[in-house]
Amino acid sequence: PQSISIESFRTPNFELMAEVLYWMVQRLDPSIPIHDDINTEDDRVEFLNGITTEVAAKSHINLNARNLYVADGNSVKELLILAQFLHRASILAEIEAEPDETFNVENNVESYKKSRSLATEITEIGARLHESLNTESDDKKERSKAIKFLKSVTGLSVEGSEKDHIESSIIHILDSTRD
């Protein structure tokens, strides 16, 4: 379409407003039926009512038919509402049409494999944690025995081979509780 100045609407210009509105509605949805005869007042009312109803149904944009009928600066504001909607839609269409350069099948396969191995590892750790929690009551008893033993030993002065034997016993008890 041609460039249109706001000056074109200083005086009412229904033909130009109808042409612009017709073009925008065709851009919105070419299948919208439009009554294109605007010679009489009734034809103009039918034209605007049909378009405003269809635009509201298709895009949920409520255009004021009275402001459009006047075909002056107020109609430009109404046309601008539809023009902004079409502009945003065209920007979104361009964004969706651009190919995603970051998409790489090999990266996705690697990511999938990593995710799968992490899930397996998490499951295994969870199973070991569950088993450890099940044996917690037995482990608690063993810890209590070890603490009692340490308390009794700390009161004695133990040196040499006895000390080495006590340390190895403690390490053995701790190792058995870890498993």
Side-chain angles (χ1 to χ4, degrees):
Q2 62 191 9
S3 296
I4 301 171
S5 170
I6 191 72
E7 295 297 320
S8 302
F9 291 98
R10 292 281 179 218
T11 59
N13 189 345
F14 191 85
E15 288 78 21
L16 181 58
M17 187 280 308
E19 182 182 341
V20 171
L21 185 60
Y22 181 86
W23 182 83
M24 283 191 213
V25 170
Q26 288 298 307
R27 299 289 289 171
L28 179 68
D29 186 358
S31 67
I32 293 178
I34 299 175
H35 175 75
D36 57 354
D37 185 22
I38 56 170
N39 293 331
T40 67
E41 187 176 316
D42 289 336
D43 291 337
R44 291 177 179 189
V45 169
E46 186 178 337
F47 170 79
L48 290 175
N49 283 337
I51 286 181
T52 55
T53 303
E54 289 292 331
V55 168
K58 298 281 183 179
S59 63
H60 303 286
I61 296 175
N62 294 322
L63 298 174
N64 188 331
R66 288 185 182 141
N67 286 344
L68 289 170
Y69 186 80
V70 176
D72 61 359
N74 291 326
S75 67
V76 173
K77 291 178 185 176
E78 295 297 319
L79 292 172
L80 188 58
I81 294 169
L82 187 56
Q84 288 172 338
F85 177 80
L86 291 171
H87 179 67
R88 284 191 305 266
S90 68
I91 289 173
L92 288 174
E94 288 175 9
I95 290 171
E96 290 177 1
E98 292 177 3
D100 186 10
E101 295 174 7
T102 61
F103 181 76
N104 187 347
V105 174
E106 292 176 12
N107 288 343
N108 274 353
V109 170
E110 287 297 317
S111 175
Y112 175 74
K113 287 180 181 178
K114 285 179 185 177
S115 299
R116 192 143 181 186
S117 68
L118 284 174
T120 303
E121 186 178 342
I122 289 170
T123 304
E124 290 171 357
I125 291 171
R128 279 186 272 159
L129 178 63
H130 180 71
E131 291 172 6
S132 296
L133 290 174
N134 282 340
T135 61
E136 175 61 23
S137 62
D138 296 335
D139 293 343
K140 187 174 181 180
K141 291 175 188 174
E142 294 295 325
R143 276 194 306 273
S144 296
K145 285 182 189 177
I147 290 171
K148 283 181 187 177
F149 176 72
L150 287 174
K151 284 182 181 178
S152 68
V153 171
T154 55
L156 303 173
S157 67
V158 179
E159 298 199 17
S161 65
E162 293 174 347
K163 182 179 178 185
D164 292 337
H165 175 67
I166 292 171
E167 285 179 0
S168 66
S169 297
I170 291 171
I171 291 172
H172 176 67
I173 292 171
L174 290 175
D175 286 340
S176 68
T177 59
R178 287 185 190 149
D179 294 336

